[in-house]
Amino acid sequence: MDLDSLLSLGKRHQRIIEDMALRGHANMKRRILDQLNEPSPVHEAYWIPKTSRSSHKRRMGLIGAFCVLPLLFGFAGYKVYEQWSGTTVAKSNQNEGPASLWADPTYLNYELGQPNTEMYSLSEASIIAGIPLHAPVHISSWKNIFSRGLVFEQKGYRLLKNHKLKLVHIGHTPLIFVDIYENSKGQRIAVSQQIQSMMTIANRQLGKDHHSEVNPTLEVGADWKVLTGFPNGLVYWVSGNWSDLPGKQAFQGQYENVVGYIRVPNGAVKEVDIGEYGNVDKSQLLAFARAYMK
Amino acid sequence: MGPYQTIEQWIDLYYGRLFGIAYTYVRNHHMAEDCVQTTYLKAFKSIGQLTGTNPFPWLAKILVNECLSYKRKASREYSTEYVPELSSPSSEDVYLRDHIQRTVHQAVLSLPVKYRMPIVLFYFYDLNYAEISAILGISIQSVKTRLHRARQRLMKVLKEGEMDGSGQPLELRKTAPENH
């Protein structure tokens, strides 16, 4: 086989890589267009004329000030700061009790620090998970601070163990996509998306009245009610004590989550969990869930 | 059509190709996405500078500059030395099954960037010498020279299984003998 023929094969492979990227095209398009609509200070900085080296330094200094000062002033009421995946985030003193695991920086820090934890972009994560994953970039009043598909290298299942919380969570899916948003008060909302395969709900038809067939107390182990106004899937408001959940007895306090089960085109069921950290108001959490899952 | 609509159209038309170029340059999915995203943002602001009817070479030039800048920044933080994907499963591995295609592609990606990009732009994206010259900021003669040397290097890599000095023979030799 001559080189030109081989290169044509390489070209075909290049097209496959492009096709793979195009699977995340819609989401990327939305991200780009959102940024065009709402240019950030960094975005604006591109267009400051590059006249000299000193102006470049001044520009970088300004960008740094724009980034750092709001953090310092905005979170002055919070005493504990943690390094989180290279980003300094505030941990509120108010954060006692009600919490979402993924929004808890202690929990996520621990998981991200494990040697075999792998992270993927949204488009890659969709391919690995085998289900379409969606993540809106902009939700009013909330800033996205973390958005990655996570794979924990265990044999066929995920084993998430938090040394401080003494909490073990086992999932049977290869990937969980985690989106974390933060507001100006330092409160957080975390969204996790994964294929739902370990429970019977995966085999159930989702429809108008199927919650009557579901026992959400078994599924999510909490007080629950079905939320209306979500066009896709079956969505619950769940609340309860962490200590009532199997395997989570060591975790104190209460929680309130939105859990959605959405049938995806290949027949699988996607589970979307939306939880809060920092005593986010219930109405805020619900408004966020509606924006995220619309 | 306003700049916003133009960019929207360009995302639909060129996102895949731009991602492909970025990926061959930085050899990292996340980096490539970031570079393409920044490219569109920059294009939006300087859209008035576009001359000619075909925006792709212009976008590609912005992209290549962005990739170069991104790699410079990244090299301060961690090694960007290429690790062939043959040994570690990735989303690409799951998606891509054809070993010959992949091996040739990886051989191209294993070339130094000065030889890799002319090969990619010429053979994978069918750009002409003048367009490659404009995108890479080198003369047409340099494009020809680099393409010639790139082909020689590529032949060597494919024949001898040299990929970043790993010394591992390419799967191509096992699965696709030259008389095929």
Side-chain angles (χ1 to χ4, degrees):
Chain A
M1 199 178 282
D2 64 22
L3 188 60
D4 287 332
S5 305
L6 289 171
L7 281 166
S8 69
L9 288 176
K11 181 179 181 179
R12 207 179 297 168
H13 188 89
Q14 183 78 0
R15 291 290 98 79
I16 293 172
I17 287 176
E18 289 174 12
D19 289 344
M20 192 177 69
L22 285 170
R23 288 184 170 203
H25 161 261
N27 189 58
M28 180 57 76
K29 181 178 178 181
R30 201 166 60 235
R31 282 174 197 266
I32 294 168
L33 296 178
D34 281 349
Q35 286 194 49
L36 294 182
N37 279 329
E38 297 179 22
S40 67
V42 175
H43 175 203
E44 286 299 317
Y46 287 140
W47 317 112
I48 297 173
K50 293 179 183 177
T51 52
S52 68
R53 195 174 175 81
S54 61
S55 73
H56 177 72
K57 285 180 180 173
R58 195 161 55 240
R59 180 163 53 109
M60 297 310 290
L62 280 171
I63 293 169
F66 273 121
C67 295
V68 172
L69 288 178
L71 276 176
L72 291 178
F73 289 110
F75 301 138
Y78 300 92
K79 293 181 180 176
V80 183
Y81 289 83
E82 297 194 10
Q83 281 298 315
W84 185 6
S85 192
T87 308
T88 301
V89 295
K91 183 181 179 184
S92 168
N93 288 334
Q94 305 166 25
N95 292 338
E96 298 166 357
S100 157
L101 289 183
W102 288 110
D104 182 338
T106 310
Y107 187 79
L108 188 64
N109 276 341
Y110 179 79
E111 301 303 346
L112 296 183
Q114 297 309 297
N116 293 325
T117 298
E118 297 170 5
M119 290 196 276
Y120 296 91
S121 68
L122 184 71
S123 54
E124 287 178 311
S126 287
I127 295 168
I128 295 168
I131 54 173
L133 299 169
H134 301 287
V137 169
H138 183 72
I139 294 180
S140 180
S141 306
W142 295 92
K143 181 186 176 190
N144 186 283
I145 58 172
F146 183 87
S147 187
R148 280 287 180 266
L150 302 173
V151 171
F152 306 93
E153 197 173 45
Q154 297 288 336
K155 292 177 182 174
Y157 59 88
R158 291 184 296 107
L159 179 64
L160 315 179
K161 186 178 179 183
N162 185 287
H163 62 304
K164 283 186 182 173
L165 302 176
K166 294 178 181 171
L167 176 73
V168 175
H169 176 70
I170 299 173
H172 290 250
T173 59
L175 178 139
I176 184 165
F177 188 82
V178 179
D179 241 343
I180 300 173
Y181 292 76
E182 189 173 68
N183 68 9
S184 57
K185 296 176 185 172
Q187 297 169 311
R188 294 190 200 97
I189 291 179
V191 184
S192 64
Q193 300 181 58
Q194 60 187 315
I195 191 166
Q196 175 55 271
S197 63
M198 63 185 290
M199 294 180 183
T200 53
I201 199 161
N203 299 317
R204 199 158 32 232
Q205 291 296 318
L206 291 168
K208 286 180 181 176
D209 58 352
H210 287 286
H211 57 271
S212 61
E213 302 172 20
V214 181
N215 184 347
T217 304
L218 285 179
E219 306 285 0
V220 293
D223 294 331
W224 58 273
K225 68 174 181 178
V226 175
L227 295 172
T228 56
F230 287 85
N232 304 310
L234 192 57
V235 182
Y236 295 99
W237 176 269
V238 297
S239 60
N241 297 316
W242 279 107
S243 58
D244 293 338
L245 297 178
K248 298 181 175 64
Q249 283 82 359
F251 197 27
Q252 297 302 310
Q254 293 183 313
Y255 65 90
E256 291 181 315
N257 286 356
V258 175
V259 181
Y261 296 101
I262 299 164
R263 179 76 65 187
V264 294
N266 65 4
V269 174
K270 178 170 72 171
E271 180 183 323
V272 183
D273 288 85
I274 303 177
E276 57 86 22
Y277 184 79
N279 298 326
V280 175
D281 186 71
K282 182 178 176 179
S283 60
Q284 274 186 295
L285 183 61
L286 196 52
F288 178 96
R290 291 194 191 285
Y292 195 95
M293 295 175 72
K294 73 180 178 185
Chain B
M1 195 187 301
Y4 185 89
Q5 288 76 18
T6 304
I7 291 291
E8 191 173 3
Q9 191 183 49
W10 288 353
I11 295 172
D12 290 335
L13 288 173
Y14 305 122
Y15 179 78
R17 276 188 277 173
L18 291 175
F19 175 87
I21 291 175
Y23 183 80
T24 53
Y25 198 111
V26 298
R27 301 183 295 202
N28 176 290
H29 195 106
H30 304 306
M31 277 186 176
E33 278 187 348
D34 286 348
C35 290
V36 175
Q37 187 171 336
T38 309
T39 296
Y40 279 113
L41 297 177
K42 288 189 172 181
F44 177 74
K45 281 291 182 181
S46 50
I47 203 164
Q49 297 172 15
L50 172 64
T51 54
T53 53
N54 182 9
F56 182 69
W58 180 68
L59 289 169
K61 182 176 174 59
I62 297 174
L63 178 70
V64 167
N65 288 336
E66 189 57 34
C67 290
L68 180 63
S69 162
Y70 207 104
K71 285 210 77 168
R72 278 181 185 149
K73 277 186 274 181
S75 65
R76 294 187 206 118
E77 295 164 13
Y78 55 84
S79 168
T80 58
E81 187 179 350
Y82 178 51
V83 180
E85 293 173 353
L86 288 172
S87 58
S88 59
S90 67
S91 58
E92 285 86 356
D93 290 326
V94 173
Y95 194 82
L96 308 171
R97 302 293 180 191
D98 193 311
H99 289 260
I100 301 174
Q101 288 180 19
R102 190 175 59 179
T103 303
V104 174
H105 193 265
Q106 287 182 347
V108 172
L109 261 60
S110 73
L111 295 174
V113 71
K114 66 183 287 193
Y115 298 126
R116 190 192 324 150
M117 294 318 292
I119 284 274
V120 166
L121 296 172
F122 188 80
Y123 288 101
F124 292 178
Y125 292 96
D126 303 319
L127 296 175
N128 60 38
Y129 294 139
E131 287 170 330
I132 297 171
S133 158
I135 289 169
L136 299 180
I138 56 178
S139 68
I140 289 177
Q141 188 53 45
S142 295
V143 173
K144 290 178 181 174
T145 305
R146 287 189 191 184
L147 269 173
H148 177 68
R149 290 179 183 163
R151 285 175 60 94
Q152 287 179 325
R153 282 195 176 221
L154 194 57
M155 283 297 288
K156 190 179 172 189
V157 169
L158 290 169
K159 280 182 178 171
E160 298 178 9
E162 289 180 358
M163 288 182 66
D164 285 4
S166 67
Q168 296 295 318
L170 289 172
E171 291 182 11
L172 177 68
R173 299 177 73 192
K174 301 173 192 168
T175 56
E178 288 193 353
N179 59 356
H180 274 203

